[in-house]
Amino acid sequence: MNVLLIGSGGREHALAVALAKSPLLTKLFVAPGNPGTAAIARNVVLDVADFDAVIAFCRVQNISFVVIGPEQPLVDGLVDALDAAGIKSFGPSKAAARLEGSKGFTKDICAKYNIPTGSYERFTAREPALAYVRAKGAPIVVKADGLAAGKGVVVAMTMAEAEEAVDALFAGAFGAAGAEAVIEEYLDGEEASFFALSDGEKALAFASAQDHKRVGDGDTGPNTGGMGAYSPAPVVTDEIVAQVMKEIIEPTVAAMKAEGCPFKGVLFAGLMIGKDGPKLIEFNTRFGDPECQVMMARLEDDLLRLLLACAEGRLPQQVRLSPKTALTVVLAAQGYPAAPRKGGKITGVEQAEKIPGVSVTHAGTKAEGGHLVANGGRVLNVIGLADSVAEAKALAYRGVDAIDFPEGFCRRDIGWRAVGT
Ligand code: AMP
Ligand code: GLY
């Protein structure tokens, strides 16, 4: 079958590599893709916000399955539009993508269905929000309700920070995403991510991972989309997996069905694992980036068959992933996240990929004058696959050191929670 993959990041390159291995695949298109996907698929220029254009493209190219990487088209309803046109896709409907698109919606689902998370309140005006913050005290977490490109969350350790966050939010710092605030209890513990697939009825545990959100070593500096990740996360033991499936994932899948908006796709749970067990921080309704890259490095099943099964309501009982650890280091352009510098020359990717156990996915790259240049904030992901986190880390950094990207940088401590620095 012909498949269209939507997105342009490292996540989509990793998905493209996995989809390209499927015996079910005839032709893979990626919109817009990147130089990494261009090597294994056909990149196409398509305005993915224009659903009619996407549908027309699918008809012309005889595409029968669309895989959607990023959250925005899901929250905007691309899956619903494709459904109405009779084209299958992987991802939740607009109503089900509210699990990512509205933090207040998710918290209300948790409250109604007894899913463990921090206590919270929703607000549409500054004064009552300030009164709540003052009554609860710091630390406390102030969030914009809607999608804010990862910037809508303030973990306020002091009352002054909390009040400032409430003021900024209601002064319009996050535009429409901040028309409503969710203020919630600060959760203490170790953060981890857990991914499960669902076909609307059933849920299947996929994998755990841990991301590194801050830009600098030692978890310092501003938040980013993620500077590195590994999978599995040792903190997510088999016992925690069982608990997360039983207390968080399965009740959410059942709740969404009961609410009339069954969830199909991948449910990405951000967890805080504290002394009372795992609690939900938030849901995303897509694969994480760079978590996807490390999970795909471990996947031993046919991804296309698996994603189709989600869309068609026939989720298998099991998925095969390597017991090895995959660890990825993100190479970013200097200035990221505030103002990444474009155009920096990159060489040595082929040398890195010659190291056994190392692979590289492209994110913000561009082919120019016979070589690669940086074309975005996060530029490349270098992945090591080995028997332990320590070995995967050593391999990934050998790969990083084979690449020459003078205008780039990376964190040097990816994996510290599992192996120290
Ligand atoms: P989000 O954009 O929702 O992923 O939140 C960004 C980060 O804020 C998370 O990765 C956590 O580190 C932190 N965070 C969010 N909610 C809480 C919470 N209730 N307690 C503690 N930390 C939180
Ligand atoms: N790496 C975090 C995310 O994809 O949301």
Side-chain angles (χ1 to χ4, degrees):
M1 66 166 58
N2 292 346
V3 175
L4 171 65
L5 170 63
I6 290 179
S8 65
R11 168 180 51 207
E12 286 74 25
H13 186 189
L15 291 172
V17 169
L19 291 170
K21 290 182 197 155
S22 173
L24 299 176
L25 183 76
T26 311
K27 202 160 179 193
L28 179 62
F29 298 85
V30 191
N34 62 37
T37 62
I40 52 171
R42 200 174 123 201
N43 284 356
V44 291
V45 179
L46 198 55
D47 176 5
V48 299
D50 181 349
F51 297 167
D52 290 339
V54 176
I55 291 163
F57 180 81
C58 291
R59 295 228 163 96
V60 169
Q61 297 293 346
N62 199 19
I63 284 161
S64 43
F65 192 49
V66 181
V67 177
I68 301 161
E71 61 275 19
Q72 195 70 53
L74 298 170
V75 168
D76 292 345
L78 179 55
V79 166
D80 309 65
L82 289 166
D83 245 6
I87 301 163
K88 273 184 212 143
S89 59
F90 175 76
S93 66
K94 181 175 179 155
R98 283 180 294 170
L99 284 177
E100 175 159 3
S102 166
K103 294 185 192 297
F105 172 81
T106 297
K107 291 298 241 181
D108 288 350
I109 290 280
C110 289
K112 184 166 169 189
Y113 294 91
N114 210 13
I115 294 163
T117 188
S119 60
Y120 74 107
E121 232 15 274
R122 303 176 71 166
F123 297 95
T124 50
R126 176 175 166 271
E127 284 310 324
L130 283 175
Y132 182 79
V133 157
R134 287 177 189 138
K136 289 284 176 184
I140 195 159
V141 184
V142 179
K143 300 185 174 182
D145 178 70
L147 287 186
K151 297 190 181 74
V153 174
V154 175
V155 179
M157 299 312 287
T158 64
M159 188 47 62
E161 281 169 0
E163 289 180 359
E164 193 186 316
V166 169
D167 282 342
L169 198 135
F170 287 109
F174 305 110
E180 184 175 334
V182 173
I183 302 184
E184 66 182 47
E185 178 189 347
Y186 172 80
L187 299 173
D188 209 3
E190 182 164 345
E191 235 182 299
S193 303
F194 187 77
F195 295 80
L197 297 174
S198 177
D199 61 2
E201 293 272 339
K202 302 183 293 300
L204 172 65
F206 191 74
S208 64
Q210 259 173 326
D211 190 12
H212 300 64
K213 282 187 196 269
R214 302 295 196 95
V215 75
D217 282 15
D219 284 341
T220 53
N223 263 331
T224 69
M227 293 299 292
Y230 51 95
S231 172
V235 65
V236 186
T237 59
D238 289 349
E239 193 189 349
I240 300 267
V241 169
Q243 207 178 347
V244 170
M245 287 303 290
K246 185 162 167 271
E247 294 176 7
I248 297 177
I249 303 291
E250 284 163 4
T252 301
V253 169
M256 295 301 280
K257 189 181 166 201
E259 295 289 319
C261 44
F263 184 89
K264 290 184 180 190
V266 57
L267 201 49
F268 164 0
L271 303 172
M272 193 64 89
I273 303 173
K275 52 181 185 336
D276 314 329
K279 288 192 178 171
L280 182 74
I281 297 178
E282 60 163 3
F283 277 128
N284 295 308
T285 60
R286 49 163 175 94
F287 283 111
D289 185 341
E291 294 92 330
C292 183
Q293 290 84 312
V294 283
M295 296 191 295
M296 290 304 130
R298 296 179 54 215
L299 181 66
E300 292 177 341
D301 269 332
D302 179 337
L303 181 68
L304 181 49
R305 188 178 293 280
L306 202 55
L307 302 189
L308 263 175
C310 282
E312 292 172 349
R314 43 178 192 81
L315 196 67
Q317 305 240 300
Q318 271 187 326
V319 55
R320 267 187 308 131
L321 275 95
S322 164
K324 289 186 176 190
T325 292
L327 181 144
T328 184
V329 176
V330 171
L331 281 173
Q334 280 170 17
Y336 176 72
R341 196 184 309 161
K342 289 191 180 177
K345 188 173 170 186
I346 304 158
T347 56
V349 171
E350 299 78 12
Q351 279 80 347
E353 289 192 297
K354 281 191 191 128
I355 302 169
V358 173
S359 58
V360 179
T361 59
H362 291 241
T365 62
K366 190 166 84 170
E368 201 175 83
H371 56 259
L372 279 178
V373 298
N375 192 40
R378 294 187 294 173
V379 178
L380 291 168
N381 309 116
V382 186
I383 302 151
L385 180 67
D387 287 331
S388 66
V389 184
E391 289 165 274
K393 176 179 178 180
L395 261 183
Y397 281 108
R398 268 183 67 200
V400 165
D401 292 336
I403 295 174
D404 191 31
F405 176 25
E407 289 179 42
F409 73 97
C410 66
R411 276 182 64 163
R412 280 276 158 191
D413 63 346
I414 301 304
W416 69 267
R417 284 190 200 83
V419 292
T421 43

